[in-house]
mmCIF file of all heavy atoms in Angstrom:
data_model
loop_
_atom_site.group_PDB
_atom_site.id
_atom_site.type_symbol
_atom_site.label_atom_id
_atom_site.label_comp_id
_atom_site.label_asym_id
_atom_site.label_seq_id
_atom_site.Cartn_x
_atom_site.Cartn_y
_atom_site.Cartn_z
ATOM 1 N N MET C 1 13.993 -57.431 -31.537
ATOM 2 C CA MET C 1 14.028 -56.605 -30.352
ATOM 3 C C MET C 1 12.730 -55.835 -30.134
ATOM 4 O O MET C 1 12.334 -55.565 -29.014
ATOM 5 C CB MET C 1 15.180 -55.621 -30.442
ATOM 6 C CG MET C 1 15.547 -55.051 -29.088
ATOM 7 S SD MET C 1 17.031 -54.042 -29.248
ATOM 8 C CE MET C 1 16.470 -52.779 -30.396
ATOM 9 N N ALA C 18 -5.988 -52.032 -26.846
ATOM 10 C CA ALA C 18 -5.058 -51.273 -27.699
ATOM 11 C C ALA C 18 -4.569 -52.140 -28.857
ATOM 12 O O ALA C 18 -4.486 -51.683 -30.004
ATOM 13 C CB ALA C 18 -3.873 -50.767 -26.862
ATOM 14 N N TYR C 67 26.103 -33.883 -28.804
ATOM 15 C CA TYR C 67 26.791 -32.629 -28.497
ATOM 16 C C TYR C 67 26.552 -32.211 -27.045
ATOM 17 O O TYR C 67 27.468 -31.732 -26.364
ATOM 18 C CB TYR C 67 26.310 -31.521 -29.451
ATOM 19 C CG TYR C 67 27.083 -30.241 -29.256
ATOM 20 C CD1 TYR C 67 28.440 -30.176 -29.585
ATOM 21 C CD2 TYR C 67 26.491 -29.104 -28.719
ATOM 22 C CE1 TYR C 67 29.168 -29.020 -29.379
ATOM 23 C CE2 TYR C 67 27.209 -27.943 -28.510
ATOM 24 C CZ TYR C 67 28.553 -27.900 -28.844
ATOM 25 O OH TYR C 67 29.278 -26.755 -28.627
ATOM 26 N N TRP C 111 12.576 -44.592 -32.766
ATOM 27 C CA TRP C 111 12.597 -44.488 -34.232
ATOM 28 C C TRP C 111 13.778 -45.274 -34.811
ATOM 29 O O TRP C 111 13.648 -45.956 -35.808
ATOM 30 C CB TRP C 111 12.683 -43.014 -34.663
ATOM 31 C CG TRP C 111 11.551 -42.163 -34.200
ATOM 32 C CD1 TRP C 111 10.259 -42.548 -33.988
ATOM 33 C CD2 TRP C 111 11.603 -40.764 -33.882
ATOM 34 N NE1 TRP C 111 9.505 -41.475 -33.564
ATOM 35 C CE2 TRP C 111 10.300 -40.367 -33.492
ATOM 36 C CE3 TRP C 111 12.606 -39.792 -33.894
ATOM 37 C CZ2 TRP C 111 9.980 -39.059 -33.125
ATOM 38 C CZ3 TRP C 111 12.297 -38.483 -33.531
ATOM 39 C CH2 TRP C 111 10.998 -38.133 -33.145
ATOM 40 N N SER C 166 10.432 -23.253 -50.647
ATOM 41 C CA SER C 166 10.497 -21.797 -50.753
ATOM 42 C C SER C 166 9.617 -21.324 -51.914
ATOM 43 O O SER C 166 9.521 -21.997 -52.937
ATOM 44 C CB SER C 166 11.941 -21.375 -51.020
ATOM 45 O OG SER C 166 11.977 -20.037 -51.456
ATOM 46 N N GLU C 172 11.469 -27.723 -59.682
ATOM 47 C CA GLU C 172 11.879 -28.548 -60.814
ATOM 48 C C GLU C 172 11.813 -30.038 -60.507
ATOM 49 O O GLU C 172 11.464 -30.844 -61.364
ATOM 50 C CB GLU C 172 13.305 -28.175 -61.259
ATOM 51 C CG GLU C 172 14.297 -28.283 -60.116
ATOM 52 C CD GLU C 172 15.729 -27.924 -60.523
ATOM 53 O OE1 GLU C 172 16.157 -28.342 -61.615
ATOM 54 O OE2 GLU C 172 16.397 -27.225 -59.727
ATOM 55 N N TRP C 182 6.322 -41.958 -62.777
ATOM 56 C CA TRP C 182 6.278 -42.697 -61.492
ATOM 57 C C TRP C 182 5.004 -42.305 -60.757
ATOM 58 O O TRP C 182 4.600 -41.150 -60.765
ATOM 59 C CB TRP C 182 7.529 -42.366 -60.674
ATOM 60 C CG TRP C 182 7.557 -43.044 -59.329
ATOM 61 C CD1 TRP C 182 7.505 -44.379 -59.086
ATOM 62 C CD2 TRP C 182 7.637 -42.385 -58.055
ATOM 63 N NE1 TRP C 182 7.558 -44.614 -57.737
ATOM 64 C CE2 TRP C 182 7.644 -43.406 -57.069
ATOM 65 C CE3 TRP C 182 7.720 -41.059 -57.636
ATOM 66 C CZ2 TRP C 182 7.723 -43.142 -55.706
ATOM 67 C CZ3 TRP C 182 7.800 -40.791 -56.293
ATOM 68 C CH2 TRP C 182 7.801 -41.815 -55.338
ATOM 69 N N ARG C 185 2.948 -40.077 -55.087
ATOM 70 C CA ARG C 185 2.426 -38.710 -55.002
ATOM 71 C C ARG C 185 3.263 -37.868 -54.026
ATOM 72 O O ARG C 185 3.172 -38.035 -52.816
ATOM 73 C CB ARG C 185 0.964 -38.733 -54.554
ATOM 74 C CG ARG C 185 0.323 -37.358 -54.598
ATOM 75 C CD ARG C 185 -1.141 -37.406 -54.201
ATOM 76 N NE ARG C 185 -1.750 -36.081 -54.272
ATOM 77 C CZ ARG C 185 -2.924 -35.767 -53.724
ATOM 78 N NH1 ARG C 185 -3.620 -36.703 -53.094
ATOM 79 N NH2 ARG C 185 -3.394 -34.542 -53.811
ATOM 80 N N VAL C 196 8.837 -13.115 -46.457
ATOM 81 C CA VAL C 196 7.929 -12.495 -45.490
ATOM 82 C C VAL C 196 8.691 -12.027 -44.250
ATOM 83 O O VAL C 196 8.360 -11.017 -43.647
ATOM 84 C CB VAL C 196 6.809 -13.502 -45.093
ATOM 85 C CG1 VAL C 196 6.040 -13.013 -43.867
ATOM 86 C CG2 VAL C 196 5.849 -13.721 -46.267
ATOM 87 N N TYR C 200 15.310 -12.742 -42.778
ATOM 88 C CA TYR C 200 15.767 -13.934 -43.492
ATOM 89 C C TYR C 200 17.025 -13.602 -44.303
ATOM 90 O O TYR C 200 17.188 -12.491 -44.785
ATOM 91 C CB TYR C 200 14.662 -14.403 -44.437
ATOM 92 C CG TYR C 200 14.638 -15.902 -44.637
ATOM 93 C CD1 TYR C 200 13.872 -16.723 -43.817
ATOM 94 C CD2 TYR C 200 15.392 -16.500 -45.641
ATOM 95 C CE1 TYR C 200 13.842 -18.103 -43.992
ATOM 96 C CE2 TYR C 200 15.377 -17.877 -45.826
ATOM 97 C CZ TYR C 200 14.604 -18.677 -44.997
ATOM 98 O OH TYR C 200 14.585 -20.032 -45.185
ATOM 99 N N GLY C 211 10.005 -10.904 -57.729
ATOM 100 C CA GLY C 211 9.508 -10.079 -58.817
ATOM 101 C C GLY C 211 9.893 -10.653 -60.174
ATOM 102 O O GLY C 211 9.063 -10.732 -61.102
ATOM 103 N N LEU C 213 10.602 -13.738 -60.988
ATOM 104 C CA LEU C 213 9.917 -15.004 -61.272
ATOM 105 C C LEU C 213 8.492 -14.800 -61.770
ATOM 106 O O LEU C 213 7.949 -15.620 -62.514
ATOM 107 C CB LEU C 213 9.835 -15.855 -59.996
ATOM 108 C CG LEU C 213 11.037 -16.719 -59.644
ATOM 109 C CD1 LEU C 213 10.865 -17.298 -58.245
ATOM 110 C CD2 LEU C 213 11.184 -17.843 -60.668
ATOM 111 N N ALA C 227 2.534 -10.928 -56.696
ATOM 112 C CA ALA C 227 3.577 -11.930 -56.932
ATOM 113 C C ALA C 227 3.350 -13.164 -56.067
ATOM 114 O O ALA C 227 3.510 -14.305 -56.524
ATOM 115 C CB ALA C 227 4.951 -11.321 -56.649
ATOM 116 N N ALA C 240 0.346 -28.585 -54.827
ATOM 117 C CA ALA C 240 0.257 -28.136 -53.431
ATOM 118 C C ALA C 240 -1.191 -28.001 -52.985
ATOM 119 O O ALA C 240 -2.050 -27.558 -53.757
ATOM 120 C CB ALA C 240 0.965 -26.798 -53.268
ATOM 121 N N LEU C 248 8.148 -16.398 -35.288
ATOM 122 C CA LEU C 248 8.606 -16.403 -33.898
ATOM 123 C C LEU C 248 7.418 -16.380 -32.937
ATOM 124 O O LEU C 248 7.456 -16.996 -31.872
ATOM 125 C CB LEU C 248 9.529 -15.196 -33.662
ATOM 126 C CG LEU C 248 10.127 -15.072 -32.271
ATOM 127 C CD1 LEU C 248 10.922 -16.309 -31.893
ATOM 128 C CD2 LEU C 248 11.007 -13.830 -32.162
ATOM 129 N N THR C 252 -0.779 -11.648 -35.260
ATOM 130 C CA THR C 252 -1.383 -11.268 -36.534
ATOM 131 C C THR C 252 -1.815 -9.807 -36.439
ATOM 132 O O THR C 252 -1.958 -9.254 -35.351
ATOM 133 C CB THR C 252 -2.617 -12.134 -36.869
ATOM 134 O OG1 THR C 252 -3.653 -11.875 -35.906
ATOM 135 C CG2 THR C 252 -2.270 -13.616 -36.858
ATOM 136 N N GLU C 257 -5.126 -0.731 -45.793
ATOM 137 C CA GLU C 257 -4.285 -0.853 -46.985
ATOM 138 C C GLU C 257 -3.188 0.199 -47.024
ATOM 139 O O GLU C 257 -2.042 -0.088 -47.380
ATOM 140 C CB GLU C 257 -5.167 -0.721 -48.238
ATOM 141 C CG GLU C 257 -4.569 -1.446 -49.433
ATOM 142 C CD GLU C 257 -5.297 -1.100 -50.723
ATOM 143 O OE1 GLU C 257 -6.536 -1.239 -50.732
ATOM 144 O OE2 GLU C 257 -4.631 -0.663 -51.690
ATOM 145 N N ILE C 277 9.418 -5.040 -38.424
ATOM 146 C CA ILE C 277 9.626 -6.332 -39.080
ATOM 147 C C ILE C 277 8.635 -7.358 -38.535
ATOM 148 O O ILE C 277 8.022 -8.126 -39.292
ATOM 149 C CB ILE C 277 11.091 -6.789 -38.865
ATOM 150 C CG1 ILE C 277 12.013 -5.947 -39.775
ATOM 151 C CG2 ILE C 277 11.260 -8.273 -39.138
ATOM 152 C CD1 ILE C 277 13.495 -6.161 -39.538
ATOM 153 N N SER C 327 9.826 -21.192 -26.900
ATOM 154 C CA SER C 327 9.587 -20.176 -25.865
ATOM 155 C C SER C 327 8.076 -19.994 -25.697
ATOM 156 O O SER C 327 7.288 -20.440 -26.526
ATOM 157 C CB SER C 327 10.284 -18.877 -26.228
ATOM 158 O OG SER C 327 9.615 -18.255 -27.283
ATOM 159 N N ILE C 351 -4.513 -24.450 -39.573
ATOM 160 C CA ILE C 351 -4.021 -25.477 -38.640
ATOM 161 C C ILE C 351 -2.938 -24.885 -37.746
ATOM 162 O O ILE C 351 -1.929 -24.387 -38.243
ATOM 163 C CB ILE C 351 -3.487 -26.702 -39.413
ATOM 164 C CG1 ILE C 351 -4.580 -27.261 -40.333
ATOM 165 C CG2 ILE C 351 -2.992 -27.772 -38.439
ATOM 166 C CD1 ILE C 351 -4.122 -28.406 -41.218
ATOM 167 N N LEU C 367 -10.010 -22.489 -28.535
ATOM 168 C CA LEU C 367 -10.129 -21.813 -29.839
ATOM 169 C C LEU C 367 -10.636 -22.784 -30.909
ATOM 170 O O LEU C 367 -11.565 -22.473 -31.661
ATOM 171 C CB LEU C 367 -8.772 -21.234 -30.260
ATOM 172 C CG LEU C 367 -8.325 -19.946 -29.552
ATOM 173 C CD1 LEU C 367 -6.840 -19.676 -29.823
ATOM 174 C CD2 LEU C 367 -9.164 -18.737 -29.990
ATOM 175 N N GLY C 369 -12.168 -25.514 -30.487
ATOM 176 C CA GLY C 369 -13.498 -26.020 -30.141
ATOM 177 C C GLY C 369 -14.591 -25.005 -30.401
ATOM 178 O O GLY C 369 -15.756 -25.255 -30.093
ATOM 179 N N PRO C 386 6.144 -40.360 -27.288
ATOM 180 C CA PRO C 386 5.052 -41.045 -26.575
ATOM 181 C C PRO C 386 4.401 -40.183 -25.490
ATOM 182 O O PRO C 386 3.170 -40.028 -25.475
ATOM 183 C CB PRO C 386 5.746 -42.286 -25.999
ATOM 184 C CG PRO C 386 6.833 -42.589 -26.985
ATOM 185 C CD PRO C 386 7.327 -41.236 -27.431
ATOM 186 N N GLY C 401 -12.425 -32.104 -28.724
ATOM 187 C CA GLY C 401 -12.809 -33.385 -29.333
ATOM 188 C C GLY C 401 -11.700 -33.918 -30.225
ATOM 189 O O GLY C 401 -10.630 -33.319 -30.356
ATOM 190 N N THR C 405 -8.886 -32.106 -34.641
ATOM 191 C CA THR C 405 -7.463 -32.393 -34.855
ATOM 192 C C THR C 405 -7.293 -32.985 -36.246
ATOM 193 O O THR C 405 -8.284 -33.294 -36.912
ATOM 194 C CB THR C 405 -6.918 -33.361 -33.781
ATOM 195 O OG1 THR C 405 -7.547 -34.638 -33.910
ATOM 196 C CG2 THR C 405 -7.191 -32.815 -32.378
#
Side-chain angles (χ1 to χ4, degrees):
Chain C
M1 198 174 61
Y67 185 67
W111 300 329
S166 165
E172 56 180 318
W182 178 58
R185 186 178 181 195
V196 167
Y200 212 91
L213 276 171
L248 182 57
T252 66
E257 207 191 307
I277 286 172
S327 72
I351 303 176
L367 284 167
T405 65

